[in-house]
Amino acid sequence: MTTTQHHHAPITTPEVGGIGHNVRRIEDDRFIQGAGNYLDDIVLPRMLHMVLVRSPLAHATINSIDTSAAEALDGVVAVVTGEMLAGYNLAWMPTLSGDTQAVLATDKVRFQGQEVAAVIATDPYVARDGAELVMVDYEPLDAIVNPMQGLEPDAPIIRDDLEDKADNVAYEWEAGDAGATAEAFATADRVVTIETHYPRSHPSPLETCGVVADVSPVTGQATIYMTSQAPHAHRTVFALVAGLPEHNIRIISPDVGGGFGNKVPVYPGYVVATAASLVLGAPVKWVETRTENLISTGFARDYYMKGELAVTAEGKILGLRVDMVSDQGAFYADAQPTKTRAGLFHIVTGSYDYPAAHVTTKGVYTNKAPGGVAYRCSFRVTEASFLIERLVQNAAYELGMDPAEFRKRNFIQPDQFPYHSPTGFVYDSGDYETALDMAMDMIGYEKLRAEQARARAEGRLMGIGIASFTEVVGAGPSGEYDILGLKMFDSAELRVHPTGKAILKLGVKTQGQGHETTFAQIVAEELGIPATDVKVVHGDTDNTPYGLGTYASRSTPTAGAATSMVSRKLRSKAREIAAHLLEASPEDLEWEVGAFHVRGSPESSVTIQEVAFAAYTNHPPGMEAGLEGVHYYDPPNMTYPFGSYIVVVDLDSGTGEWKVRRMVAVDDCGVRINPMIVDGQIHGGLAEGFAMSNMQWITFDEAGNCIGSNFMDYLVPTAWETPRFELGETVTPSPHHPIGAKGVGESATVGSPAAYVNAVIDALAHIGVRNIDMPVLPDRVWQAIRDHAE
Amino acid sequence: MYPRAFDYVAPETKQEVLDILAERGGEVKVLAGGQSLIPMMKLRFASPGTLVDINRLSGLDSIDIQNGHLRVQALARHSDVVRSDVVAAENDAMASAAPWIADPLVRNLGTLCGSVAHHDPEGDWASVMLACDAEVVAESRDGGERVIPIAGFLVDMFTTSLQPTELVTEVRVPRYRRGGGNYQKLERKIGDYATVGVATHLELDDAGSISNAGIALTSVYAHNLKVTDAEQALVGNAPSVELFAEAARIAAAACDPTSDVRGSAEYKRDVVRVFTERGLTASLAAAQG
Ligand SMILES: Cc1cc2nc3c(=O)[nH]c(=O)nc-3n(C[C@H](O)[C@H](O)[C@H](O)COP(=O)(O)OP(=O)(O)OC[C@H]3O[C@@H](n4cnc5c(N)ncnc54)[C@H](O)[C@@H]3O)c2cc1C
């Protein structure tokens, strides 16, 4: 990996390890030595094992469920059905988007893999044997496997459980200004159109989802170990669903082996195991198999998008119109802010400046698994970014312009920030042309174009694809963003102990992003306490302040800001204590990371550790003892990370295969706290973008059978096929974030798919190819070449 | 993994294995590398009553030259084939195919003999063996040793002429004097089965004409398909671009792929053509090199 940098020197020493230091990941010691503690590592006395019986059909009425053979099996303790749950009012539960979802099906099944019954046994093998013995009599119904089918007038109604539901529409929503957009299109010289399907994929974290529910029928205390990206929000949902008093619910999300949004929803297995534990008076463990994870849990994308760009002959964009239909599966179980039904899809105007845009969206129920928000996608920004970056490339072709030049003519300029987008966002900061120039420089853009001209003359196919994306992350300001009414602030609680060592408790929850290191570095930056002296605690609702969790690249923009703010609160108090120790007035003290000294006499100084000791041993009269605090941070705005990616591919016209020759990624996520961790996040996202563009999708046959229910059919690239990445960075701080940071966890997943696809299309643009849907499989490339051969 | 319950035995001698096979027959499955059997048991697609694990047998993991053949014994792993100097020196098609089998982890356990015995129509080895006219050596307690030509061994997908009482002890291919071979594979990622695989093998006489030819296809027919017509079109002729193109056309016409997520039948058929040409060209280069 090569890295080109433009950042500022750290203000702390490497020993302190504040912002800008590549502090080695503190959590890795336990992970690489096998001392992590994942959900399946949790074993409690008398623990029972649960296995779910799932529907083999995508759409069917349930005539009857016969559990007698399963119950008769030696070792089976109980078989739970939806009918039994209905007795506790638990057969249905709310989704995070305000819809309802069946916990165990009572009336009919609505997707293949839906939860129908649960077998609880003394060991997991017997539980599986028992699950095979549960006899369900189904009456098959026609399955709806794409949203267009679902919108047909005579389509069967999937959600006949909803009162008065006469169609399969889950939601409709629009953004922007239809009238102004129509005017822009009326004056355009050209309209460039693209229709594309962003296919269904799955984040497939290596650790599948699971729970160990331990509910005491005596005290009512419910301790629920759960693979959760949002333990506090989940606790509240549990309180609402199960009617358990919230102070008696303790959610513990132990080490989480990857989330990517897959561990945001509440799954039926969690609820059934908890109810079973309450009824049986013993802990109940449920851990999904790989297939269960792939066929039933939060998928990603599945958007059918039509985009139209109005442009002038000179290459200026005048307006954008987008119509989108999304396949939501059987339940609307995205986690979307209440006010924005298609999430933040309306960021689709991208990095470009034009006055008008109009976005219409429609979510449709189908007989497929619910979900949609997952896979490192900040609320549907991935689809949006893909669409606009594909459109601008095609616009350049239609105008006979270079795609880089077309972008530069339309970029929002640095002096336009804060920039008000036509769909209502206020971009905080950006410098798009600098990032694109850096990427072009790194890859040698002009030379590559010259090579491409020669290659075409020789009949060789190569392509160069660009994506200059803008992301919107860090949900979010409480006026605009909530999940089920819970405002999307986040929190940090900091205690500095007498010996100067600290404990930082967060409302967010890492799944591999390195929070235990990054957040300690923020404290190090603000207080001068070495990062390795700060223990980060998260994931246990009894021991951390309330927060909405980690997803949508929101942890640094929200909890990172909260960490900064609480550290500053402590620094103010530390100043008072230091003044007391130095017998000076607080205003006369100067702070240099880690110590206060009296202005003009540097020898008269106390360290933060000395201050901490004094906070418990010698605090000023009239002041509260201790050095601790909590901060709930309500961000004033979202943050808008951006970047420019360039991919070079070589294409085999015989087989349609394409190989990435080079991939350059310039990212700007504002100030980088731990640059090494940021690079790691970007690598992961670039690999995922490659996966989606090259090989990865979940397909269904006409009956709604899921093709892609295991890793032989659902493809996750290995180190072998993943391209080598060359990273560059620019730093444009967020003006409203306390340390100028923006989120970065999803940038590369959002930005890179278009770059790869654009490169393949670019290889074929001269023969007239303008679109190949993802994944850009060899047979699709081969077909496109055939279709465009003279 | 949560398979159904089964008995497990791990004998230390071949005789014990043959005894168990003779006594328990149909309900027993031999466990070699486990790279096909275990995944099927995990998904409960296969539920053998007894697994007889042959991994503790000694003297069954050689790759060597015996009686004019290159032989691969039952416990030689795919990775042994990848690393084998004997294979590299003796058989280009095998050397070319070996790194395409599965991924490094699977190769460390899976066996060539197990792959042939399993006869998954998407398996690569059966095609290579068909192209190279291999023989399978099987042994049973009561029937002794039996040598079965590969074409007679592979009956249909997941079906062979091996008896339930028999153990495959080796697979062997004849040596050749002047020849070359190749394996072309289209896969979606490492560890994937072939979308299309083409094994080719050519032998040349002193005049440089083709004296023996082998072409076999993977994943484009109900089983691994030996394209005899294409082979016959080659034999007796001097190699040329046109000749290879003709053989490739015959191979493409002979296959019968299905349309699925990996691509349309039309696409796969065309890749067979492209790969057959490329494979024959590479085989010729190896033979002449
Ligand atoms: C992830 C993955 C990817 C793969 N990719 C490929 C690929 O790209 N190409 C490919 O060709 N294969 C692939 N395979 C299959 C792999 O090559 C297997 O190793 C091979 O098919 C079986 O060999 P084994 O030794 O593992 O047999 P086992 O799994 O142990 O047995 C398979 C069957 O053969 C029988 N058997 C095995 N050995 C004997 C014997 N000596 N005598 C009698 N019966 C026997 C068993 O009873 C069983 O029925 C893949 C497997 C996996 C798990």
Side-chain angles (χ1 to χ4, degrees), chain A residues 1-191:
Chain A
M1 185 197 80
T2 49
T3 302
T4 305
Q5 297 183 332
H6 261 195
H7 62 67
H8 314 286
I11 61 163
T12 56
T13 60
E15 290 69 40
V16 172
I19 290 174
H21 288 291
N22 291 328
V23 175
R24 289 220 293 197
R25 298 197 348 151
I26 292 166
E27 50 268 73
D28 283 354
D29 280 351
R30 70 176 188 277
F31 293 143
I32 61 182
Q33 295 180 66
N37 184 39
Y38 295 94
L39 191 279
D40 207 14
D41 294 324
I42 291 163
V43 175
L44 301 180
R46 299 186 307 116
M47 187 171 80
L48 301 172
H49 297 267
M50 183 176 100
V51 167
L52 290 172
V53 177
R54 294 176 180 277
S55 170
L57 301 173
H59 201 191
T61 308
I62 298 176
N63 288 333
S64 64
I65 303 176
D66 180 356
T67 59
S68 54
E71 278 160 1
L73 188 70
D74 208 22
V76 169
V77 177
V79 181
V80 185
T81 61
E83 206 176 312
M84 290 162 70
L85 290 180
Y88 299 88
N89 207 12
L90 280 179
W92 292 82
M93 64 178 186
T95 71
L96 295 178
S97 285
D99 193 4
T100 52
Q101 175 173 356
V103 176
L104 294 177
T106 47
D107 50 343
K108 63 176 190 177
V109 287
R110 292 174 172 83
F111 67 93
Q112 185 187 51
Q114 188 178 341
E115 302 79 0
V116 175
V119 176
I120 295 155
T122 48
D123 83 57
Y125 294 88
V126 174
R128 272 170 182 78
D129 293 344
E132 288 188 328
L133 296 174
V134 174
M135 299 300 153
V136 187
D137 181 15
Y138 295 104
E139 184 77 40
L141 300 168
D142 286 342
I144 291 175
V145 294
N146 68 56
M148 279 63 78
Q149 277 177 1
L151 292 173
E152 276 166 22
D154 55 346
I157 307 302
I158 297 174
R159 295 301 304 278
D160 49 0
D161 58 293
L162 299 173
E163 220 169 297
D164 298 330
K165 191 74 189 145
D167 59 24
N168 289 311
V169 176
Y171 67 82
E172 282 181 276
W173 187 70
E174 64 180 304
D177 184 334
T181 306
E183 270 170 46
F185 275 78
T187 56
D189 294 322
R190 292 235 187 166
V191 173

Side-chain angles (χ1 to χ4, degrees), chain A residues 712, chain B residues 21 28-40 51 54-55 60 74-78 100-103 106-107 109-120 122-126 162 166-170 185 187 191-194 218:
Chain A
M712 289 306 290
Chain B
L21 289 172
V28 187
K29 277 273 174 205
V30 170
L31 177 72
Q35 297 305 297
S36 293
L37 186 52
I38 300 285
M40 291 175 71
L51 274 195
I54 60 170
N55 287 279
L60 209 59
L75 286 176
R77 314 289 166 174
H78 303 311
W100 282 106
I101 311 294
D103 59 41
V106 173
R107 287 201 292 270
L109 279 170
T111 65
L112 186 152
C113 289
S115 173
V116 172
H118 189 54
H119 194 200
D120 184 332
E122 297 185 334
D124 298 305
W125 280 130
L162 191 74
E166 284 177 318
L167 176 73
V168 173
T169 54
E170 68 183 62
K185 180 173 175 178
E187 61 181 18
D192 190 21
Y193 287 92
T218 312

Side-chain angles (χ1 to χ4, degrees), chain A residues 12 24 34 64 99 145 201 206 239 252 306 317 395 442-444 472 488 500 523 551-552 595 666 709 727 749:
Chain A
T12 56
R24 289 220 293 197
S64 64
D99 193 4
V145 294
S201 57
L206 279 190
I252 299 176
K306 179 178 182 193
I317 305 174
M442 285 171 69
I443 207 147
V472 50
M488 297 190 74
V523 175
Y551 44 86
V666 175
S709 59
L727 305 187
T749 324

Side-chain angles (χ1 to χ4, degrees), chain B residues 167-262:
Chain B
L167 176 73
V168 173
T169 54
E170 68 183 62
V171 170
R172 62 193 194 191
V173 294
R175 301 182 76 183
Y176 52 86
R177 208 169 50 81
R178 189 173 173 217
N182 180 265
Y183 193 67
Q184 299 273 323
K185 180 173 175 178
L186 177 67
E187 61 181 18
R188 299 169 299 178
K189 58 168 280 199
I190 192 170
D192 190 21
Y193 287 92
T195 299
V196 175
V198 177
T200 49
H201 175 74
L202 289 178
E203 289 175 34
L204 304 180
D205 62 19
D206 291 336
S209 285
I210 298 169
S211 56
N212 186 20
I215 299 177
L217 315 178
T218 312
S219 293
V220 287
Y221 201 79
H223 51 78
N224 303 73
L225 182 69
K226 186 173 172 69
V227 195
T228 320
D229 288 351
E231 295 172 351
Q232 278 165 3
L234 293 169
V235 174
N237 290 309
S240 70
V241 172
E242 296 73 30
L243 184 67
F244 288 172
E246 174 59 15
R249 267 194 298 277
I250 298 172
C255 69
D256 184 20
T258 49
S259 295
D260 58 20
V261 286
R262 293 160 181 270

Side-chain angles (χ1 to χ4, degrees), chain A residues 323-342:
Chain A
D323 185 42
M324 182 281 286
V325 176
S326 87
D327 182 334
Q328 292 294 146
F331 308 101
Y332 178 36
D334 263 7
Q336 298 299 6
T338 314
K339 288 188 184 173
T340 58
R341 298 285 73 191

Side-chain angles (χ1 to χ4, degrees), chain A residues 106-382:
Chain A
T106 47
D107 50 343
K108 63 176 190 177
V109 287
R110 292 174 172 83
F111 67 93
Q112 185 187 51
Q114 188 178 341
E115 302 79 0
V116 175
V119 176
I120 295 155
T122 48
D123 83 57
Y125 294 88
V126 174
R128 272 170 182 78
D129 293 344
E132 288 188 328
L133 296 174
V134 174
M135 299 300 153
V136 187
D137 181 15
Y138 295 104
E139 184 77 40
L141 300 168
D142 286 342
I144 291 175
V145 294
N146 68 56
M148 279 63 78
Q149 277 177 1
L151 292 173
E152 276 166 22
D154 55 346
I157 307 302
I158 297 174
R159 295 301 304 278
D160 49 0
D161 58 293
L162 299 173
E163 220 169 297
D164 298 330
K165 191 74 189 145
D167 59 24
N168 289 311
V169 176
Y171 67 82
E172 282 181 276
W173 187 70
E174 64 180 304
D177 184 334
T181 306
E183 270 170 46
F185 275 78
T187 56
D189 294 322
R190 292 235 187 166
V191 173
V192 182
T193 304
I194 194 168
E195 278 188 70
T196 185
H197 176 219
Y198 203 128
R200 182 174 279 234
S201 57
H202 195 282
S204 54
L206 279 190
E207 181 202 33
T208 59
C209 299
V211 67
V212 179
D214 183 12
V215 189
S216 164
V218 178
T219 64
Q221 171 67 40
T223 305
I224 303 167
Y225 302 86
M226 192 165 121
T227 47
S228 170
Q229 294 179 227
H232 291 278
H234 286 162
R235 185 186 70 201
T236 302
V237 173
F238 265 76
L240 297 173
V241 176
L244 296 169
E246 198 166 354
H247 67 288
N248 276 348
I249 308 173
R250 178 181 182 189
I251 307 266
I252 299 176
S253 182
D255 285 330
V256 174
F260 315 104
N262 185 244
K263 290 166 183 167
V264 170
V266 173
Y267 293 118
Y270 302 159
V271 177
V272 183
T274 304
S277 175
L278 176 65
V279 173
L280 298 170
V284 175
K285 178 186 264 189
W286 169 71
V287 179
E288 288 172 340
T289 63
R290 174 64 52 200
T291 293
E292 290 184 284
N293 181 253
L294 285 171
I295 66 172
S296 72
T297 63
F299 71 92
R301 331 283 186 246
D302 220 346
Y303 262 29
Y304 294 81
M305 302 183 284
K306 179 178 182 193
E308 296 169 282
L309 207 57
V311 294
T312 67
E314 295 73 44
K316 281 296 285 179
I317 305 174
L318 299 176
L320 170 72
R321 190 154 49 205
V322 174
D323 185 42
M324 182 281 286
V325 176
S326 87
D327 182 334
Q328 292 294 146
F331 308 101
Y332 178 36
D334 263 7
Q336 298 299 6
T338 314
K339 288 188 184 173
T340 58
R341 298 285 73 191
L344 309 185
F345 181 72
H346 49 311
I347 193 75
V348 65
T349 55
S351 307
Y352 311 100
D353 175 32
Y354 42 94
H358 187 231
V359 180
T360 48
T361 69
K362 191 177 272 174
V364 181
Y365 291 120
T366 62
N367 290 116
K368 289 151 85 174
V373 78
Y375 211 3
R376 286 174 98 151
C377 169
S378 5
F379 300 110
R380 302 291 195 176
V381 176
T382 315

